[in-house]
Amino acid sequence: MAGRDRIRTDLALEATERFKEENVEVHGVEVREKYDKEKDVRTTVVRITTENGAKTMGKPQGTYITIEAPDLSVPDEDYHREISEEVAHHLKELIDFSQQQSVLVVGLGNQDITADSLGPRAVGNIHMTRHVIREYGLKSCSHMKMHQISGIVPGVMAQTGMETLEIVQGVVAETKPDVVIAIDALAARSTARLNRTIQITDTGISPGSGVGNHREGLNEENLSVRVIGIGVPTVVDAATIVHDSMSDLLDALEEEEQKEFLEEMISPKLYTMFVTSKDVDETVKYLSFTISEGLNLAFSDSLIREDRS
């Protein structure tokens, strides 16, 4: 539909839906969907396998796992535990925890802005172990190979005067992790996915891309180490809300009429405005804990017993 191309989204799933609506087949993009009726959780795996698919989608080649959970913004501990287990399950599909891993968890975003504080809050709940292992060695772990987990909250350029990538590159060069996990707040195209969706990808993450702040991406190319990105859409483009509220009217118009109508009705300023829910304080607290528990489960459930024979 006309006008949708200008609305930003960080979700690969929403990019595929746009082509589906327009009946366009994208070569080099595979989509697999699974629905758990008991949990009311829909998981969609989008794999971009070719350069053509990446160019068409506007996203790097790789795997994008989207977990849609309608009650994710509800303070139900049992439900959040189930989602944490889903996150852990998919992380273990992307990272080989059968061998001891050194993992650096990066909490992206501005912790002074609630809707952008998901990453820093999540890192605050991670069980860090690197310092314990360095201090006491693996013998302190009762013959278990504990994964070395460390974390950092690099802040944003306005706070530090440095690109996030510059800070993370320095930490990676010093600590030499096997994998980096970057957590960030995202932007969605659909209001229905706001605070109800988790995306996990092995392509890394670009801080601030959802709201038009194009920073250098945290990815394997820039860090020389594998990067897993985890994000939840906490904001939506204001133009999306206007567009969705007029969708029935737009469907009755021809494509050229839609374009003309949108140009007249939607101010360009709306494309620089982002909206979040009024209960974002509580919601981000729940979401950050859910993600951190998913990481903790992935790390702790993957402890490896040493061969004592």
Side-chain angles (χ1 to χ4, degrees):
M1 186 178 287
R4 295 296 269 182
D5 291 343
R6 295 181 62 185
I7 299 172
R8 299 186 184 96
T9 178
D10 289 314
L11 301 178
L13 172 61
E14 292 187 330
T16 62
E17 287 178 340
R18 178 167 59 87
F19 292 109
K20 188 176 180 180
E21 290 172 0
E22 298 170 356
N23 294 318
V24 175
E25 182 180 354
V26 182
H27 297 287
V29 177
E30 303 171 1
V31 181
R32 179 167 51 84
E33 184 180 293
K34 183 182 72 174
Y35 178 66
D36 188 324
K37 187 175 181 180
E38 183 179 350
K39 295 180 181 179
D40 192 19
V41 173
R42 187 179 306 277
T43 303
T44 305
V45 179
V46 177
R47 286 192 173 88
I48 303 177
T49 58
T50 66
E51 291 184 6
N52 176 68
K55 184 177 180 180
T56 305
M57 292 279 288
K59 297 186 179 298
Q61 291 185 50
T63 301
Y64 300 80
I65 302 167
T66 306
I67 303 169
E68 296 178 87
D71 293 332
L72 196 55
S73 58
V74 177
D76 182 337
E77 290 187 10
D78 291 336
Y79 187 78
H80 279 257
R81 175 73 179 189
E82 291 178 345
I83 303 304
S84 294
E85 291 171 353
E86 285 286 322
V87 171
H89 169 73
H90 292 296
L91 281 174
K92 286 185 280 189
E93 287 183 335
L94 296 176
I95 303 173
D96 180 15
F97 284 115
S98 64
Q99 302 295 321
Q100 186 182 17
Q101 298 282 353
S102 174
V103 182
L104 172 65
V105 184
V106 181
L108 300 172
N110 187 343
Q111 55 190 339
D112 294 328
I113 299 176
T114 306
D116 195 33
S117 64
L118 179 74
R121 285 171 180 253
V123 168
N125 292 319
I126 300 293
H127 299 155
M128 303 301 176
T129 60
R130 182 175 181 270
H131 62 300
V132 176
I133 294 173
R134 286 172 62 84
E135 182 72 21
Y136 301 106
L138 291 174
K139 294 301 180 183
S140 64
C141 304
S142 301
H143 303 289
M144 302 289 283
K145 287 186 178 179
M146 183 184 292
H147 301 294
Q148 295 190 40
I149 312 302
S150 57
I152 183 175
V153 177
V156 294
M157 183 179 283
Q159 296 171 322
T160 65
M162 295 178 282
E163 284 275 4
T164 300
L165 176 63
E166 294 176 322
I167 298 172
V168 178
Q169 279 178 327
V171 175
V172 167
E174 182 66 27
T175 63
K176 297 178 174 56
D178 299 312
V179 62
V180 171
I181 298 178
I183 306 169
D184 199 9
L186 308 178
R189 173 178 286 144
S190 168
T191 54
R193 291 197 173 97
L194 198 63
N195 301 323
R196 298 179 179 89
T197 305
I198 299 174
Q199 177 175 269
I200 305 171
T201 176
D202 62 0
T203 64
I205 206 161
S206 296
S209 63
V211 293
N213 297 330
H214 297 291
R215 306 267 74 92
E216 289 289 330
L218 303 185
N219 51 46
E220 188 169 359
E221 181 181 357
N222 289 333
L223 293 176
S224 300
V225 64
R226 193 159 183 240
V227 182
I228 304 297
I230 303 177
V232 176
T234 60
V235 296
V236 63
D237 194 321
T240 297
I241 300 173
V242 178
H243 192 287
D244 289 349
S245 65
M246 297 188 301
S247 59
D248 291 338
L249 173 61
L250 290 170
D251 287 340
L253 301 176
E254 297 294 332
E255 185 171 345
E256 285 301 315
E257 293 176 324
Q258 289 180 14
K259 183 178 180 181
E260 183 179 348
F261 182 78
L262 288 170
E263 288 175 350
E264 291 179 0
M265 293 299 296
I266 300 182
S267 167
K269 294 181 180 179
L270 286 178
Y271 290 97
T272 62
M273 293 179 63
F274 292 84
V275 182
T276 191
S277 59
K278 67 179 182 179
D279 60 346
V280 66
D281 300 78
E282 284 297 304
T283 301
V284 168
K285 182 173 72 173
Y286 294 131
L287 292 172
S288 62
F289 187 75
T290 300
I291 290 174
S292 63
E293 280 303 286
L295 290 171
N296 288 331
L297 284 171
F299 302 149
S300 63
D301 288 353
S302 305
L303 292 175
I304 310 156
R305 291 198 174 274
E306 292 182 341
D307 185 1
R308 302 179 62 189
S309 59

